[in-house]
Amino acid sequence: MRVLMDGLGLVESPRWHDGRLYFCDWTAGEVIAVGEDGASEVIARVPSLPLCIAWPPGGERLIVVDSPNGRLLRREPDGSLVEHADLGQPGWNDIAVDHRGNVFVNRVDFDVMRGADAKPGTVFVAAADGSVRQEADDIAFPNGMAVTADGATLVVADSYRHHLLGFDIGADGGLSNRRVWADLGDGVPDGICLDAEGAAWYADVPHRRCVRVAEGGRVLATVELDRGAFACALGGSTLFITAATWNGMTEAEMVAPGSGQVLAVEVGVPGA
């Protein structure tokens, strides 16, 4: 395992694009790009918190979740951030995009950081036609999401119910045929990614690991860490992991300052 970057804060939402890894440093309010040689640059700053990111079809304009302000932002070629969609309320979490340009974004419907009682969350779509609508509900804690390579299925992590959900994706971004895509036993899935064999990797904060599972939940591989794994992404046959020492959701510092890392480990199956 290699350490690409060290000394970071709470790091999330890694995405491989055009030969570099992009990720969010929540503590710094930055979106950062890093190459496999460790050279990095800040490509966007979002003072309210760049929660998660995704690359739409064509890969020219990065989409950023501005959760506190209830918006999706789009990074223009000159580096400026403009509103891509108004989501109408705060509380948004992870994001995924299909090949048609439908942007899926999920929402946690309670104040996690203040220890409020849990309420099931939802998945919305900011569709390619400009509409924003709810497409799924009753997800105990919606977290990482990924679209299968054929664009037919959205996979959603439910951290509190310990499984990955699957939904069929319609041409208009509609979601149907909800099912448990993988039962993870005691696994607590955060960020996820899919590989070329149709398996999923999920990051697990409390168990300090990333786990590869087949559809259905059979464990295929495990990468153990010395700190919480928040999310993962595949770039070729390299699994990139964002990790940090976890203190707790309601703590003033959710992760130990400076414990955030971007890690890289070679795996047997490349990304989808």
Side-chain angles (χ1 to χ4, degrees), residues 53-122:
I53 55 175
W55 288 97
E60 296 179 356
R61 291 173 171 83
L62 183 69
I63 304 296
V64 182
V65 179
D66 177 7
S67 182
N69 292 318
R71 302 182 299 169
L72 297 179
L73 302 176
R74 185 178 69 247
R75 185 178 184 271
E76 296 294 277
D78 65 0
S80 62
L81 294 173
V82 300
E83 184 172 284
H84 181 78
D86 182 356
L87 301 174
Q89 55 189 328
W92 303 93
N93 192 10
D94 216 297
I95 183 177
V97 185
D98 73 7
H99 64 283
R100 304 178 186 92
N102 296 309
V103 181
F104 302 96
V105 57
N106 60 39
R107 184 172 184 271
V108 178
D109 196 23
F110 64 100
D111 194 334
V112 180
M113 296 177 186
R114 294 187 179 181
D117 292 339
K119 294 192 296 183
T122 51

Side-chain angles (χ1 to χ4, degrees), residues 179-217:
R179 68 267 190 196
V180 174
W181 192 90
D183 186 334
L184 306 178
D186 68 346
V188 185
D190 197 328
I192 66 172
C193 63
L194 303 175
D195 69 23
E197 292 184 352
W201 282 95
Y202 72 88
D204 188 324
V205 175
H207 292 111
R208 300 182 178 186
R209 65 191 184 192
C210 280
V211 183
R212 181 177 182 244
V213 294
E215 185 172 358

